[in-house]
Amino acid sequence: MKFNKFFIICSFFVTACNFGSIDTEELYSNLSDKQKLAAEFLLSEVDNRYTLTNQDLTDFYPFIDSLSLTDVKFHEQKQLLEDFFANHSSAKSYYVYDKSQLTTQYLKQNILDAFKYYQQSWNSYLPDTAFFQYVLPYRVGDEPLEDWRNFFIQKYGYILDSLINTNQPISTELLATEILKVLKLREIKTLQTNVYSKTLRPSTLDKIKVGQCTDYCDYVNFVMRTFGIPCAKDGIFDWHCWNAILAKDSTIDVYVECTPEDQHLKNWLFYTGWKNLPKIWRETFTKNPNSLAEIHGEEPIPQYFKNPYMVDVSNEYFEGQSADFQVDNNPYNSNFAYLKVWNNKFVYVDWAKIEKDNAKFNNISDSVVYFPSYYNSQKEQKPLSYPFVITEKGRRDFVADTINTQKMVLYRKYLIKRTHNLYLKRMLDGYFIGANKPDFSDSVRIYTISEMPLMKWNEVEISLNKSFKYIKYVAPIWSWLNVAELEFYNPEGKKLKGKILGCNNFSEAHYSSKNAFDGDVLTYVDAIEPHYEWLGLEFDEPQQISKIRYIPRNDDNFVQKNQLYELQYADLKGWHSMGIQNAYADSVTFYNVPSNAIYLLKDLTKGHEERIFEYVDGKQVFW
C-alpha cells in the first residue's frame, strides 16, 4: 500500500497561536507528544475549514429526517426530494468557519477518541501521516459539527466487541468487512441526479434511505474512522465516488451496499459500460500543495481543479500510462493543458504543466478516449490535439480523414449496457396467444419470440386468418414479465385498443400492466415473480391481428421515427456538425462523413444520454 505524503507535520508549538475559540494551552494539556502533533495537524486546517449552510438546508434537515421514518418507496422519496428542491429558493449559502465555531473541548475529545484505536492490530502498519489524514480528522466535508465518533461507537461498537471476543487476529479487511455487512442491511438507494451538493450532517446520513454516492461515501468514512480504519473517498467527484479502505498491502474499494468481496468498482464499470475509469482522485483533509488549485496563480482553471483537497491515486488502481503532446500553437498562452472525457458532457479529469512547449500526462488509463484541451474562462475550449486512446498496441489518435469519407447508418446514440441485455433476454421464449373465451381455454398461439429481441421496436407480421376477443403476451416460465410497450394492429393498419388484462403481481405499483400500453417506451411492466406472468387486452368484439409491435424494457436511446438527430465528429476545432436529419424509420443516415474520427449522435427531440463512438466496418463501436 502506497501512502501519499504530500503534507508536512511540523514540530508542535504551544504558544503564539490564534485559532479563534481554541485555547491551545488547554488543548495541549495532558496530551502525549504524538497527540500534540495530531492537534497541530488539525489546527493547520482550522482557518480553511467551515460548515456551509443556508436556509434551504436548515429546512431540509427536518424534512429528510421525517421522510426517513416513513415507508415511502424509493421512486416516491426521489420525487419528494426533487419537489423539495424545486420549491425552495436555493438561498445564498454562507460559511461558518471552524475558527469561530470549533471549541477546544470538541477538538480535544476528537483527538482522544481517534487515538483510542491508534496502533491497533488492524492499523498498526499505518504511518502517522496516513493516520492523521484518514482517521484523525474531525470532519469529512462542510457538514455541521456533531459528536459523530461517540454516536457511531454507541451504534456499531458491538461489531468490534464481537470480533474481540473471538480472540482471532483482527485485520483491517476483517473489521471493515464485518462493519460493511451491517451497513449493507440498510437497503439504501442511490440517486443519479444531483439534488444537493453539501455534506450532510452525520446524524442525517445515518437516517437517509435515498441519497447520492457522495452521501454514502461520507457515511462510511464517518463509521470506519470511528474505529480507526483508514478510509477515504476516491473517484472522479463530478461523476462517481466510492470508499477506499487503505489496507496494509492494497487499496480496497468498497461502498455502503458492498463488502470487499462484492468488488464494487468492477461491477460499477460493468454496469456503466466503461472499461476503465480515466483517472482516480482521493479527497484529503489537508491541502495538497502540488494541486493545480495551489499553483495556478492568476490563470483560470476548470472548476473541478479548484479543489485543493485531492491527490492523484490512479496508480493504486491500475498501471498508469503516459501521453506527450507538442504545444505548437498556444491560443491562450496557457501554462497548463488538460484531458477531458465525454460522459454525456465533457468532464475534466487531468491536467499537466506545459514545459518547453510540451505537455505530458501521467498515470492515465488505457481503453478510454481522451480529448486533450486548453482552458480559458470562456465557453469554448480549444483542443490541444486530436482525441486519442491507449490500447495494448499503443496510442492511437483519431485524426479525422476528410478525404476518405463514408456513408453512416446509425441506430443508437448510446451503447447498450451489458446489464440491459438482461432485459432483452427476459422476453426470449415469450409468446403471444389469442382466445375468444375469457379463461383462454380455446387459446391459439400466434407468435413465439424465438430469437433475442432488439432494444428498439420489434415488429412481427401475423398471417393467421382468425379473430380473437382476447390477446395476451406470456413471459417465459424462467423469466420475469418485463416489457415496455405492446401494440396490436388489424389488417387495415389500425392500432387496436381494449381493456387491459393480466398480472397484478408487481414489484412496485408504478410497474403495473398499464405501462405496456401508455405509449411511453421508458415505462415498463415489472412482475415480482416469473412463473408465466402475462398481460394483454380484451377487445369490444373479436379482432383479427395482422401485426404485433413490442419493445422490451429499454433505455430509450435507439433511433426513433419522426425525431431529429444531429451527427458530429471531433477535429482540431472541436465538434463539427454533419447536419440534422429526421429519422423516417429505426435508423438515420448521413453521407460524406469523415472517416477515422470520434463521433457523437445527438437526439434533438428528447433525451440526454449520448456516448461517443467510432464507426468500424459499418457498425457503431461505443467508447
Side-chain angles (χ1 to χ4, degrees), residues 280-521:
I280 298 176
W281 298 88
R282 176 169 296 157
E283 269 193 3
T284 60
F285 179 73
T286 54
K287 291 182 178 180
N288 176 4
N290 298 316
S291 67
L292 185 59
E294 292 293 284
I295 68 172
H296 72 94
E298 298 298 320
E299 183 172 324
I301 61 175
Q303 183 64 36
Y304 184 70
F305 291 114
K306 292 180 181 179
N307 178 10
Y309 295 97
M310 60 183 193
V311 61
D312 180 7
V313 293
S314 302
N315 59 357
E316 293 184 23
Y317 288 85
F318 53 76
E319 183 178 350
Q321 308 292 324
S322 61
D324 287 88
F325 293 91
Q326 183 68 31
V327 182
D328 296 321
N329 178 25
N330 192 335
Y332 309 125
N333 294 317
S334 302
N335 294 309
F336 305 97
Y338 302 89
L339 291 183
K340 302 184 291 188
V341 297
W342 182 265
N343 186 38
N344 292 323
K345 62 179 182 180
F346 274 129
V347 179
Y348 287 92
V349 296
D350 199 15
W351 62 273
K353 188 173 178 58
I354 298 174
E355 298 180 300
K356 297 180 180 179
D357 295 327
N358 181 268
K360 183 177 183 179
F361 297 93
N362 296 310
N363 296 327
I364 59 176
S365 175
D366 59 18
S367 304
V368 173
V369 174
Y370 296 93
F371 294 76
S373 175
Y374 298 103
Y375 180 84
N376 72 356
S377 57
Q378 305 303 313
K379 184 177 181 180
E380 181 181 0
Q381 310 302 323
K382 294 185 180 298
L384 167 65
S385 185
Y386 288 99
F388 73 96
V389 64
I390 297 175
T391 68
E392 57 187 16
K393 296 180 179 180
R395 175 174 143 187
R396 176 160 65 97
D397 290 5
F398 294 94
V399 181
D401 186 345
T402 58
I403 303 299
N404 298 300
T405 60
Q406 59 190 329
K407 170 186 173 182
M408 293 176 61
V409 181
L410 308 176
Y411 293 89
R412 291 186 59 84
K413 64 185 182 72
Y414 200 86
L415 86 168
I416 297 178
K417 296 178 181 178
R418 282 166 281 192
T419 51
H420 285 160
N421 286 319
L422 172 63
Y423 307 148
L424 305 181
K425 187 177 180 181
R426 284 178 176 175
M427 293 193 74
L428 183 63
D429 295 333
Y431 56 90
F432 296 88
I433 58 176
N436 285 299
K437 294 182 179 180
D439 63 356
F440 282 83
S441 59
D442 64 339
S443 65
V444 175
R445 184 170 296 208
I446 300 173
Y447 176 74
T448 299
I449 303 174
S450 57
E451 296 182 355
M452 189 74 75
L454 302 174
M455 188 168 282
K456 63 175 185 176
W457 281 104
N458 295 260
E459 292 193 5
V460 181
E461 300 293 334
I462 305 296
S463 58
L464 188 64
N465 187 21
K466 187 175 178 62
S467 297
F468 301 103
K469 171 84 169 171
Y470 307 93
I471 190 167
K472 68 180 179 180
Y473 163 73
V474 184
I477 189 171
W478 49 266
S479 181
W480 284 260
L481 179 62
N482 219 185
V483 58
E485 288 294 311
L486 292 178
E487 293 182 352
F488 304 99
Y489 292 82
N490 67 15
E492 289 73 42
K494 179 182 178 181
K495 185 168 74 172
L496 300 173
K497 297 182 180 180
K499 178 183 176 182
I500 298 174
L501 305 173
C503 173
N504 291 311
N505 191 21
F506 308 112
S507 57
E508 291 188 25
H510 67 295
Y511 295 136
S512 66
S513 295
K514 66 180 182 181
N515 289 348
F517 304 98
D518 64 358
D520 185 345
V521 299

Side-chain angles (χ1 to χ4, degrees), residues 162-213:
S162 64
L163 285 176
I164 292 174
N165 290 336
T166 65
N167 293 318
Q168 64 178 310
I170 302 175
S171 65
T172 305
E173 296 92 328
L174 176 61
L175 180 53
T177 298
E178 292 305 307
I179 291 174
L180 286 163
K181 285 179 180 178
V182 175
L183 299 188
K184 194 174 181 178
L185 301 176
R186 288 161 50 86
E187 296 184 346
I188 53 88
K189 296 288 187 179
T190 302
L191 283 172
Q192 300 300 319
T193 53
N194 184 19
V195 292
Y196 49 81
S197 58
K198 303 169 183 66
T199 309
L200 299 181
R201 63 189 183 191
S203 59
T204 291
L205 289 173
D206 186 60
K207 296 185 181 76
I208 61 171
K209 299 175 183 177
V210 175
Q212 300 170 148
C213 56

Side-chain angles (χ1 to χ4, degrees), residues 13 132 230 582:
F13 56 93
F132 288 4
N582 181 62

Side-chain angles (χ1 to χ4, degrees), residues 17 121 139 148 178 221 230-231 288 380 429 436 575 596 604:
C17 298
S121 63
R139 62 158 69 247
W148 52 272
E178 292 305 307
N221 270 346
C231 188
N288 176 4
E380 181 181 0
D429 295 333
N436 285 299
W575 290 118
N596 192 48
L604 304 182

Side-chain angles (χ1 to χ4, degrees), residues 142-157:
D142 51 26
E143 74 280 359
L145 297 177
E146 292 184 337
D147 183 12
W148 52 272
R149 292 188 192 270
N150 182 60
F151 176 83
F152 290 118
I153 282 286
Q154 295 296 318
K155 184 161 187 173
Y156 296 121

